[in-house]
Amino acid sequence: MTKPLRTALTAVAVAGSLLALSPSAGAAAPTAPPAGKVTVDVATVNGSGCRPGTAAVAVSPDNSAFTVTYSDYLAQAGPGIPVTEGRKNCLLSLIVNVPQGFTYAVSKVDYRGYGSLADGALGTQKASYYFQGMSQTASRSHQFHGALQDNWQVTDTTGIQALVFAPCGEKRNFNINTELRAEIGTSDSSETSYMAVDSTDGSINTVYHFQWKECPVRR
């Protein structure tokens, strides 16, 4: 199937958030990103939506966020398409290296992609995040309803009081578990529908925004 070229993110089909990002009264002021080098390496990658070599990670120059770009992450449903193609998933385990004396949480995530849903078809984007050895966060899910033929964007945000930081002085992988679905729903069964977060030119990616905190000085 030929997908349309996706080079600009113009229309926002759906936007959602779980908690307001603004700190509540008495909450600590956000810490500026560290000046030292921050790197993110892929430890393991598993899932039908991110075969090895199809997911790339990069840190922004100001250390405020990192991006994940997929090149083959698409769920589709329609005539002649196996049922297994209707659900794709990706589990990334990342090694985040930060300057000494700092730790981080992920406060906001921007997901972008392209949807081609026939009238009555359904699309779903779902994600959860957790540190190795710690409890998995609740899943966050967004649903799209056809007809849709456009770029889409959703945002998950977490209030500062609910942020989960990596333990200071410990190396724990940051795990990202995402899922993409395309369902025929009540649409014409002769039509094909799909949801994608993949990009052939790097213009469509997922942005994970850091929240930084200084670790207590050990005496």
Side-chain angles (χ1 to χ4, degrees):
M1 179 183 62
T2 301
K3 294 176 288 181
L5 181 63
R6 302 184 293 278
T7 57
L9 300 173
T10 52
V12 178
V14 177
S17 62
L18 297 188
L19 298 170
L21 188 60
S22 302
S24 59
T31 299
K37 187 174 180 61
V38 175
T39 63
V40 179
D41 301 314
V42 179
T44 60
V45 54
N46 291 289
S48 55
C50 58
R51 294 175 293 104
T54 64
V57 183
V59 180
S60 65
D62 63 357
N63 291 338
S64 65
F66 69 91
T67 62
V68 179
T69 304
Y70 302 93
S71 60
D72 190 22
Y73 199 166
L74 177 144
Q76 55 184 329
I81 298 174
V83 175
T84 53
E85 292 296 306
R87 175 188 177 275
K88 294 296 180 74
N89 74 297
C90 179
L91 176 58
L92 290 176
S93 185
L94 305 178
I95 302 171
V96 182
N97 300 297
V98 305
Q100 187 173 2
F102 285 86
T103 185
Y104 71 94
V106 171
S107 60
K108 184 172 71 169
V109 188
D110 299 318
Y111 289 95
R112 300 177 177 92
Y114 190 89
S116 177
L117 300 175
D119 187 18
L122 300 174
T124 304
Q125 184 274 332
K126 186 176 179 181
S128 59
Y129 330 89
Y130 59 100
F131 289 104
Q132 180 183 11
M134 300 174 68
S135 298
Q136 185 165 332
T137 61
S139 295
R140 307 170 183 194
S141 182
H142 304 272
Q143 193 166 76
F144 303 80
H145 299 268
L148 171 67
Q149 193 81 32
D150 215 331
N151 300 300
W152 57 263
Q153 176 177 333
V154 295
T155 297
D156 292 335
T157 63
T158 302
I160 196 167
Q161 298 284 30
L163 291 175
V164 177
F165 286 85
C168 285
E170 295 184 23
K171 283 285 188 181
R172 299 204 183 190
N173 290 4
F174 181 62
N175 298 316
I176 301 169
N177 194 4
T178 60
E179 180 180 317
L180 205 60
R181 288 179 181 267
E183 301 174 78
I184 293 175
T186 59
S187 67
D188 188 330
S189 60
S190 66
E191 296 190 67
T192 296
S193 295
Y194 68 84
M195 289 287 292
V197 291
D198 65 339
S199 175
T200 57
D201 58 7
S203 63
I204 293 181
N205 50 40
T206 302
V207 183
Y208 296 83
H209 299 265
F210 285 125
Q211 176 74 56
W212 291 101
K213 185 172 72 172
E214 293 189 53
C215 293
V217 177
R218 294 186 177 181
R219 301 185 184 278

